[in-house]
């Protein structure tokens, strides 16, 4: 039987390296939201921490291991959330952090990276170009390159969310997980398939950034020429083969959702849960809105993975949204 790159014992060890501010995040049923979407739904809230996303779990593991080994510098490419998280974790351990991002990334995320003390280099292309530039810097300067989802620390840090779901005596049968590079989906999925195999793991991606979903469906890496989605946190074009191999072992399904559904999900999370979230964090709700019959009898958990969103853009989206269930 094939195995993923992840390991439950290492995940439990990773949890001990993570600052408690990122751990034991709220998990609660949202009855007001249930009334609107037609199924039992609980929220796993990964936004109430210093970097407003789940990424801090993985960067805490990365930074802890780097500091213990005496390494002093690190570079990553980021659409915004990983960069913030690595800047926060690195600052606390005396690491020199450089983040490479697209100049078209959300300004609020770029400003936060700078505020956390990281060096920030901008490229004129998309996230894939930022990845290439970060790799160049790592080679030229001889420093550690952190590659989200490829570096197992990022996956096993994210996987600690799965431990909390399982250890909380789960009363759910389905988990909806935003799918981008794959760290969150493979990490949480591995824990659930190991410790709670009866739970269905469904990954959700925007229709405008479908590369990993197409890859999962085809069981081979499928790249796309471009992306077109407001969910910048999951807008990758080039899936990593090792990550896809893991995803194929832990995901029961991968679905694509429309932009209108993402916006409707953001509005519902605001109106019914009091949560301001970035588009990637609304993917789970969007999936339910697009297939209500599938989820009608389910007890669902959706992982609300981030809340780093440009306020003006958020107001435009939420103020004008029109989609399924809106």
């Amino acid at each position: 039987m094939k195995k993923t790159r992840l390991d439950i014992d290492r995940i439990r060890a990773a949890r001990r390296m993570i600052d408690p501010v990122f751990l034991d995040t709220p998990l609660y049923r949202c009855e007001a939201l249930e009334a609107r979407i037609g199924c039992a739904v609980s929220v796993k809230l990964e936004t109430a921490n210093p970097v407003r996303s789940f990424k801090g779990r993985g960067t805490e593991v990365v930074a802890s291991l780097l500091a213990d080994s005496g390494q002093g510098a690190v570079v990553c490419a980021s659409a915004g959330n990983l960069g913030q998280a690595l800047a926060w974790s690195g600052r606390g351990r005396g690491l020199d952090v450089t983040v490479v991002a697209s100049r078209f990334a959300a300004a609020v995320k770029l400003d936060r990276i700078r505020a956390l003390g990281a060096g920030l280099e901008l490229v004129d292309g998309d996230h894939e170009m930022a990845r290439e530039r970060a790799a160049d810097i790592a080679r030229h300067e001889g420093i550690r390159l952190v590659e989200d989802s490829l570096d197992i620390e990022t996956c096993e840090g994210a996987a600690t969310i799965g431990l909390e779901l399982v250890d909380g005596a789960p009363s759910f049968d389905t988990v909806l997980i935003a799918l981008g590079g794959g760290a969150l989906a493979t990490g949480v999925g591995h824990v659930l398939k190991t410790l709670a195999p009866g739970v269905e793991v469904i990954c959700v991606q925007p229709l405008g950034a479908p590369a990993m979903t197409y890859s999962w469906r085809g069981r081979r890496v499928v790249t796309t020429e471009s992306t077109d989605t407001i969910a910048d946190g999951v807008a990758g074009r080039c899936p990593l083969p090792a990550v896809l191999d893991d995803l194929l072992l832990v995901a029961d399904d991968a679905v694509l959702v429309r932009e209108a559904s993402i916006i409707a999900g953001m509005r519902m999370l605001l109106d019914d849960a009091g949560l301001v979230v970035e588009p990637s964090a609304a993917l789970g709700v969007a999936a339910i809105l697009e297939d209500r019959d599938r989820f009608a009898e389910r007890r669902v958990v959706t992982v609300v993975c981030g809340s780093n969103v440009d306020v003006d853009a958020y107001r435009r989206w939420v103020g004008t949204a029109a989609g399924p269930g809106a």
Side-chain angles (χ1 to χ4, degrees):
M1 180 178 176
K2 290 184 177 179
K3 295 183 178 180
T4 73
R5 296 175 300 144
L6 292 88
D7 177 82
I8 288 293
D9 289 336
R10 289 202 313 265
I11 293 167
R12 294 196 183 280
R15 180 178 164 85
R16 295 191 288 272
M17 302 179 201
I18 299 171
D19 190 301
V21 74
F22 295 105
L23 298 174
D24 299 314
T25 54
L27 172 65
Y28 58 93
R29 283 189 63 180
C30 186
E31 294 185 27
L33 187 60
E34 290 177 0
R36 296 280 301 281
I37 63 178
C39 69
V41 62
S42 296
V43 168
K44 180 61 169 168
L45 188 62
E46 293 295 312
T47 65
N49 62 59
V51 298
R52 303 179 186 176
S53 83
F54 78 95
K55 297 286 189 181
R57 292 177 183 255
T59 60
E60 282 290 279
V61 181
V62 170
S64 179
L65 293 173
L66 284 173
D68 288 348
S69 67
Q71 298 183 60
V74 61
V75 61
C76 75
S78 175
N81 285 350
L82 177 71
Q84 291 179 70
L86 188 58
W88 192 92
S89 297
R91 185 180 65 177
R93 294 169 176 84
L95 301 178
D96 182 8
V97 177
T98 300
V99 178
V100 183
S102 168
R103 68 176 66 257
F104 307 110
V108 65
K109 296 182 180 182
L110 300 180
D111 290 344
R112 185 61 178 157
I113 290 169
R114 294 187 185 98
L116 287 166
L120 179 63
E121 180 174 325
L122 302 179
V123 298
D124 289 326
D126 63 7
H127 181 64
E128 300 306 329
M129 184 176 289
R131 281 170 57 180
E132 293 174 5
R133 175 56 183 157
D136 287 342
I137 292 172
R139 283 192 297 268
H140 183 262
E141 299 187 9
I143 63 176
R144 168 68 185 273
L145 171 65
V146 173
E147 294 191 76
D148 196 21
S149 304
L150 181 60
D151 287 1
I152 200 65
E153 302 97 327
T154 63
C155 302
E156 293 183 336
T160 60
I161 296 170
L163 291 180
E164 292 171 18
L165 290 174
V166 172
D167 291 346
S171 57
F172 54 88
D173 49 47
T174 305
V175 175
L176 294 167
I177 308 173
L179 179 60
L184 182 63
T186 59
V188 174
H190 176 85
V191 173
L192 292 175
K193 290 307 172 187
T194 303
L195 302 180
V199 174
E200 186 177 25
V201 176
I202 302 177
C203 303
V204 190
Q205 205 165 32
L207 188 61
M212 186 62 96
T213 296
Y214 286 166
S215 299
W216 182 86
R217 291 176 179 177
R219 303 189 70 82
R220 64 178 180 84
V221 171
V222 177
T223 62
T224 58
E225 291 297 321
S226 62
T227 61
D228 183 16
T229 178
I230 62 173
D232 61 319
V234 294
R237 296 188 292 107
C238 303
L240 299 166
V243 183
L244 175 60
D245 288 345
D246 289 343
L247 189 69
L248 288 170
L249 295 174
V250 301
D252 295 297
D253 200 2
V255 301
L256 297 171
V257 295
R258 294 172 292 162
E259 298 295 288
S261 300
I262 298 171
I263 293 170
M266 294 170 67
R267 177 191 279 175
M268 286 187 174
L269 286 166
L270 175 64
D271 291 346
D272 300 318
L275 299 175
V276 174
V277 304
E278 60 188 84
S280 300
L283 288 170
V285 175
I288 299 171
L289 293 177
E290 292 206 358
D291 199 352
R292 289 174 182 266
D293 289 345
R294 175 178 185 174
F295 296 100
E297 303 300 322
R298 304 282 188 90
R299 297 165 297 160
V300 179
V301 170
T302 183
V303 181
V304 175
C305 55
S307 63
N308 288 298
V309 62
D310 179 83
V311 173
D312 291 336
Y314 181 85
R315 288 171 176 160
R316 290 196 304 273
W317 296 327
V318 173
T320 60

